[in-house]
Amino acid sequence: MARVYKFGGASVKDANGIRNVERIVRLALNEQSPITNHQSDGLMVVISAMGKTTNALERVVEYLAAGQEEQALSQWVDVIDHHVAIMKELGLQPGVDIRLQGEIPYDPTKPFDENYDQVVSMGEIMSTQIIAVYLLKRGLSVEWWNMPKLLRTDDTWREARVDNEVSAKIIRAGWDRPNRPAVVIAQGFIGGTGDGRRTTLGREGSDYTAALLGNYIDADSVTIWKDVPGILNADPRIEPNTVLIPSLRYQDAVELSYSGAQVIHPKTIKPLENKQIPLFVKPFDDPAAAGSRISADGTGPIDIPVYIWRKNQILITMRAKDFGFVLEESLSEIFDIIHRHRLKVSLIQSSAVTISVSVDNTRFVPDAIEELKKHFNVSYNDHLSLLTIRGTTPEIVEQAKAGRTIMLSQTTRRTARLVVAEKEN
Ligand code: ASP
Ligand code: MG
């Protein structure tokens, strides 16, 4: 049986991280599957760009689009130099073992979003090239996969939609080959249109890639290696006392990630649930630890409140312009606009004459507000966060509200959702 491992940017941010990947890969090849008790017959390793490379590459495209070529080039050279330094530290010879992309893959005649995908995808290409060659040199049986040729998507740049039928066929064929090396190194987050152009699946999309690959190859499990012990009941950067949730149902995991929990990308669960493949979230600095297990028969969270922050929210309130206001008609109009502008809704509230929605404050919001203004009196507040507390009690809600500016709150018996003004620093 096969397994899928995913390593994010934090786990491969430097040479030591990559050595640790080697250690974890070797453990996987030598141990039996926890699900089937069979020896592994293949490990699909999905890898993100190193550290903060994706952010740096975003700046490269932004500079170029703004005509600031010098800044773009110096930022690009920084990225390349950083990768070269890591290669050297790993004992690899730049230019001999790996030839990194020299020029910025940017075409000024093409739209911004298309260029974005060509440039930003280089982060994953470089990280996987380096790691694949390193593992090969260390004596492992390894193959590097070029996902832009294997994971087929449409050309919705920066948020490409995957063609599962075509992709599954291509990937299965590659995976089921008789003499395939034991370890396959693949990029997360990126795919391709089939005519040579690279696409990206949306920021933090590598988990989603891992889930898709797990689904296509019928993996017996998928493991996401993280810099946290597993899924916690709160963000350790915000709450001082956190508790590990050892076992979780798919549905609860979807809800947690949709509410804003950063541990897994919201799109990760569905492809796994469809094939009942368990998902493990484990700490990369302690591979023997149990971590969290997400599956159909998960048990938790039990009796502990779970705090989830979804940051960077904007609360948009639409008020009727006239007395002919019909809630149902307005709802369908509003959601049509929201859907067409690709807004991501986190909460909805309505009264007799107003409708409020909290959405992620993305680059699509200004145009959507312009269109909403044609039909409604629109007001909005930004610099907000949505705090969801699951398994809550009235006392816990009161504690959470204390000292915070609450713009809106929705509570049911076990769940509270508060739209909170971000604290000013
Ligand atoms: N490297 C991409 C990002 O930072 C994808 C990922 O990390 O999942 O958004
Ligand atoms: Mg990343």
Side-chain angles (χ1 to χ4, degrees):
M1 281 296 260
R3 270 186 273 174
V4 177
Y5 276 7
K6 183 258 169 174
F7 295 93
S11 3
V12 296
K13 69 175 195 300
D14 52 24
N16 273 338
I18 294 169
R19 292 190 193 105
N20 189 45
V21 169
E22 178 193 352
R23 175 167 81 113
I24 293 176
V25 164
R26 284 188 190 278
L27 285 174
L29 294 177
N30 294 328
E31 81 193 2
Q32 294 179 337
S33 156
I35 307 299
T36 60
N37 292 323
H38 287 131
Q39 196 76 25
S40 153
D41 70 356
L43 185 65
M44 176 84 85
V45 182
V46 177
I47 298 175
S48 303
M50 293 175 179
K52 303 274 177 230
T53 303
T54 306
N55 294 347
L57 292 172
E58 281 188 337
R59 286 197 295 275
V60 171
V61 205
E62 281 157 12
Y63 282 135
L64 284 172
Q68 296 170 278
E69 272 164 42
E70 241 168 75
Q71 285 93 327
L73 199 60
S74 109
Q75 178 74 265
W76 174 259
V77 169
D78 279 354
V79 169
I80 303 290
D81 285 352
H82 183 64
H83 286 80
V84 166
I86 290 175
M87 279 163 67
K88 287 186 181 154
E89 221 183 304
L90 291 170
L92 303 176
Q93 279 181 277
V96 177
D97 292 320
I98 304 160
R99 198 170 294 280
L100 293 179
Q101 169 94 17
E103 309 227 309
I104 311 176
Y106 185 88
D107 177 350
T109 65
K110 294 281 168 60
F112 179 88
D113 287 351
E114 184 174 343
N115 274 314
Y116 176 103
D117 279 2
Q118 309 320 304
V119 176
V120 165
S121 55
M122 290 310 298
E124 269 71 9
I125 299 280
M126 290 191 280
S127 67
T128 53
Q129 282 177 327
I130 292 172
I131 292 164
V133 171
Y134 172 72
L135 295 179
L136 205 60
K137 292 233 154 183
R138 300 280 302 159
L140 290 170
S141 150
V142 176
E143 186 165 74
W144 180 78
W145 279 18
N146 185 20
M147 295 310 273
K149 290 222 169 97
L150 306 174
L151 192 75
R152 182 67 52 81
T153 72
D154 68 4
D155 61 0
T156 312
W157 310 112
R158 303 180 67 176
E159 229 171 299
R161 277 177 289 243
V162 176
D163 182 334
N164 282 311
E165 217 172 296
V166 172
S167 306
K169 255 193 214 131
I170 300 175
I171 280 159
R172 261 294 344 182
W175 184 258
D176 290 340
R177 270 163 38 234
N179 294 315
R180 169 191 39 80
V183 181
V184 166
I185 302 287
Q187 305 85 41
F189 174 59
I190 71 175
T193 53
D195 57 9
R197 293 175 300 169
R198 293 185 292 275
T199 52
T200 64
L201 310 181
R203 287 300 309 264
E204 308 305 330
S206 297
D207 295 350
Y208 177 46
T209 303
L212 290 176
L213 296 181
N215 175 300
Y216 300 160
I217 68 169
D218 289 295
D220 66 337
S221 66
V222 171
T223 304
I224 297 180
W225 296 92
K226 302 248 356 165
D227 53 357
V228 287
I231 297 186
L232 305 173
N233 74 321
D235 184 339
R237 289 166 300 187
I238 299 174
E239 306 286 335
N241 302 311
T242 54
V243 187
L244 177 76
I245 304 173
S247 160
L248 204 62
R249 278 183 311 252
Y250 291 121
Q251 272 324 304
D252 290 319
V254 170
E255 239 190 274
L256 290 188
S257 61
Y258 173 78
S259 305
Q262 302 256 310
V263 258
I264 34 174
H265 190 281
K267 278 155 92 178
T268 310
I269 301 300
K270 199 74 204 140
L272 299 177
E273 185 177 16
N274 286 349
K275 288 212 170 161
Q276 300 283 298
I277 299 168
L279 172 67
F280 294 91
V281 179
K282 291 191 181 207
F284 62 67
D285 56 2
D286 184 11
S292 300
R293 181 185 199 273
I294 301 162
S295 59
D297 53 8
T299 49
I302 309 164
D303 290 340
I304 44 165
V306 180
Y307 297 81
I308 312 127
W309 286 93
R310 184 157 161 168
K311 297 225 169 102
N312 194 28
Q313 298 293 297
I314 179 166
L315 184 67
I316 307 174
T317 299
M318 275 89 32
R319 191 175 296 277
K321 274 189 169 171
D322 55 51
F323 293 114
F325 181 81
V326 180
L327 181 67
E328 290 74 12
E329 281 173 16
S330 305
L331 281 175
S332 78
E333 201 162 38
I334 288 169
F335 285 102
D336 178 54
I337 295 171
I338 283 176
H339 179 67
R340 277 191 285 104
H341 287 274
R342 298 204 247 159
L343 301 194
K344 298 224 161 53
V345 177
S346 54
L347 176 142
I348 304 162
Q349 186 147 301
S350 69
S351 76
V353 289
T354 68
I355 297 163
S356 298
V357 291
S358 176
V359 300
D360 293 353
N361 198 356
T362 60
R363 69 205 145 98
F364 302 117
V365 165
D367 282 353
I369 288 184
E370 276 319 299
E371 197 176 339
L372 289 166
K373 276 184 176 164
K374 292 181 189 149
H375 310 275
F376 305 95
N377 292 324
V378 179
S379 57
Y380 56 86
N381 283 287
D382 54 5
H383 300 295
L384 305 177
S385 293
L386 172 68
L387 171 61
T388 302
I389 313 173
R390 304 191 59 215
T392 192
T393 62
E395 294 76 50
I396 290 173
V397 177
E398 282 320 307
Q399 266 170 30
K401 282 183 172 172
R404 292 192 163 115
T405 310
I406 309 296
M407 311 295 296
L408 194 153
S409 81
Q410 272 181 2
T411 52
T412 57
R413 204 164 55 86
R414 299 277 294 156
T415 302
R417 316 191 71 207
L418 310 174
V419 178
V420 179
E422 276 166 20
K423 287 212 178 92
E424 281 155 34
N425 311 308

